Amino acid sequence: MATPFLQAISINKTYPGERFAGLRKTSLSIHPKNITAIIGESGSGKSTLLKLLYGLLSPDEGEVQFNGERIWGPEEKLIPGHDHMKMVTQDTDGLNIYAKVWDNIAGLMPNTDVAAKKERTQQVLKQLNILHLADKQACYLSGGEKQRVAIARALITRPEVLLLDEPFNQVDTSFREGLQQDIRQIVEETGLTVIMVSHDPAEALSMADELIVLKDGEILEAGHPQSLYQNPQHLYTARLLTNCNVLSSADAKHYGIRSKAEHIVIYPEWAIITSSWTRKNWMVKQVLFKGSYEDLVVEKRSVTLRLLNSKPGKYAAGDKVHLKVKKYLEF
Ligand code: ADP
Ligand code: MG
């Protein structure tokens, strides 16, 4: 059997305190040349897991291995963090704001081969679409541009693994998508392995090849984004990935759903307005315009459902409609 690329074997990490905090008996194997996204509520242990994988923290028990070798913790290394990995977080403090973008990036390469240094710097600037900013002083950059420079600095020395801890939080939505696409492309072109923590479901779903769901310091479930989205095994996962409707089985009964489960989950796109002349027993309460689509809040017997309408302008508050629920989940 081939040696696993990067794996955690039964790692435990407990922070001192009255309530449990940290990571419990966690095992996982990271696929090389893929993007793995770690998602979970705030405080679920995402950053802790990332730091343990990188070697910024040592586990209390168990170990992390990179290509079959145990990763050294911060007390065993002069410069904490594995030499073949780089980590980028929200803070771009590592940047020298008085220096030009070019020098911020090129400065991390040795001077032994000046031609190679120039070529590599140019390559990384191109990969991150910041070649036009090369001569700009870092203090004049926008948040999104600074984040691109931070990632370029991480990639210049060709790490095998790039760890991202919610690095796009400060970046405008419009810039974020471009940056997400560029990282995907770098992974496809160079075979880089990316492990990212994200709390944005759209980001995790669109970027990741593999999703890992953390809850209270434990892995709850893991899998491909599509299957985890369509068939989560836990309500917690559904809630993380979508703004879903959660009904009690008593409420769901009014809508023809018979189930003994405690919670019935209906995603906004699973409730569809159908044409019917007779049984229009739902009332549109609110129409929330979102540009290319609308969120409709509909109500029946004081139970509300939020659903997706891809044809804005078709319905108004007060309209009576007929609804069909084409899929639901039981928990
Ligand atoms: P996440 O990144 O998912 O928000 P973290 O991994 O940062 O979560 O933290 C997990 C839990 O451990 C939280 O309850 C947090 O308060 C606690 N924690 C994190 N770092 C420390 C620390 N250095 N000392 C004590 N508790 C910590
Ligand atoms: Mg965190």
Side-chain angles (χ1 to χ4, degrees):
M1 214 181 80
T3 312
F5 177 65
L6 175 61
Q7 64 169 348
I9 309 165
S10 268
I11 48 170
N12 261 334
K13 172 78 198 170
T14 311
Y15 298 113
E18 276 173 33
R19 283 191 56 235
F20 173 83
L23 210 63
R24 285 188 254 236
K25 283 277 175 237
T26 298
S27 296
L28 62 87
S29 187
I30 299 291
H31 300 291
K33 308 182 198 307
N34 265 346
I35 300 182
T36 302
I38 302 167
I39 57 171
E41 286 173 355
S42 170
S44 58
K46 305 180 296 292
S47 297
T48 302
L49 177 57
L50 217 58
K51 286 178 191 159
L52 284 160
L53 291 173
Y54 184 33
L56 287 189
L57 279 177
S58 297
D60 303 333
E61 284 170 62
E63 66 181 52
V64 180
Q65 294 182 352
F66 182 67
N67 287 325
E69 287 184 17
R70 184 177 68 83
I71 288 184
W72 288 8
E75 55 290 310
E76 298 167 282
K77 269 190 102 236
L78 195 58
I79 303 168
H82 195 280
D83 296 341
H84 293 277
M85 304 189 204
K86 280 278 154 48
M87 183 148 157
V88 175
T89 63
Q90 284 178 43
D91 72 66
T92 43
D93 294 351
L95 289 189
N96 178 352
I97 52 167
Y98 303 107
K100 287 178 180 173
V101 167
W102 177 278
D103 297 323
N104 261 295
I105 298 166
L108 295 166
M109 292 271 291
N111 275 321
T112 40
D113 185 341
V114 177
K117 177 173 173 168
K118 188 175 168 199
E119 196 183 324
R120 176 66 186 151
T121 305
Q122 215 147 29
Q123 188 182 27
V124 173
L125 283 165
K126 261 191 215 146
Q127 280 177 335
L128 282 147
N129 279 314
I130 46 174
L131 196 55
H132 61 290
L133 301 174
D135 290 326
K136 214 166 181 175
Q137 216 173 306
C139 58
Y140 297 120
L141 301 178
S142 72
E145 290 167 345
K146 275 195 189 122
Q147 208 51 274
R148 282 179 181 270
V149 175
I151 294 171
R153 281 166 54 85
L155 293 183
I156 183 96
T157 48
R158 300 180 197 274
E160 287 183 58
V161 181
L162 177 68
L163 302 129
L164 302 170
D165 195 347
E166 307 198 32
F168 312 136
N169 278 8
Q170 316 289 345
V171 181
D172 294 343
T173 329
S174 52
F175 280 108
R176 257 162 109 139
E177 276 179 17
L179 191 48
Q180 289 161 5
Q181 281 162 15
D182 289 342
I183 289 174
R184 261 243 73 99
Q185 186 152 1
I186 292 170
V187 168
E188 276 154 29
E189 284 172 1
T190 68
L192 176 73
T193 301
V194 172
I195 308 170
M196 57 183 281
V197 167
S198 175
H199 71 244
D200 173 2
E203 178 173 289
L205 287 167
S206 68
M207 280 186 82
D209 300 296
E210 171 92 5
L211 283 182
I212 294 175
V213 182
L214 274 190
K215 182 177 186 237
D216 299 332
E218 284 179 86
I219 295 180
L220 194 62
E221 55 184 317
H224 293 291
Q226 289 92 334
S227 58
L228 222 54
Y229 181 85
Q230 291 297 339
N231 284 306
Q233 298 304 302
H234 300 268
L235 177 58
Y236 175 90
T237 306
R239 281 197 158 125
L240 276 180
L241 293 178
T242 110
N243 194 355
C244 53
N245 300 285
V246 183
L247 271 60
S248 68
S249 53
D251 281 346
K253 208 153 65 181
H254 296 314
Y255 315 115
I257 298 170
R258 306 215 167 265
S259 165
K260 289 204 173 71
E262 194 181 347
H263 302 288
I264 307 299
V265 169
I266 303 168
Y267 290 5
E269 67 271 30
W270 292 346
I272 300 167
I273 294 179
T274 55
S275 50
S276 163
W277 294 106
T278 48
R279 292 166 40 237
K280 291 187 174 177
N281 41 18
W282 289 83
M283 156 97 88
V284 177
K285 270 195 83 180
Q286 259 185 323
V287 180
L288 305 163
F289 182 56
K290 303 276 179 168
S292 61
Y293 69 97
E294 276 170 0
D295 273 344
L296 296 183
V297 180
V298 296
E299 188 185 54
K300 178 181 168 190
R301 297 200 202 199
S302 73
V303 177
T304 56
L305 272 189
R306 220 172 24 75
L307 57 94
L308 200 79
N309 173 33
S310 56
K311 296 197 182 77
K314 204 169 169 189
Y315 305 101
D319 283 358
K320 296 277 192 136
V321 293
H322 179 64
L323 206 71
K324 198 177 152 202
V325 175
K326 63 169 189 174
K327 181 178 172 181
Y328 61 90
L329 300 170
E330 301 170 285
F331 296 103

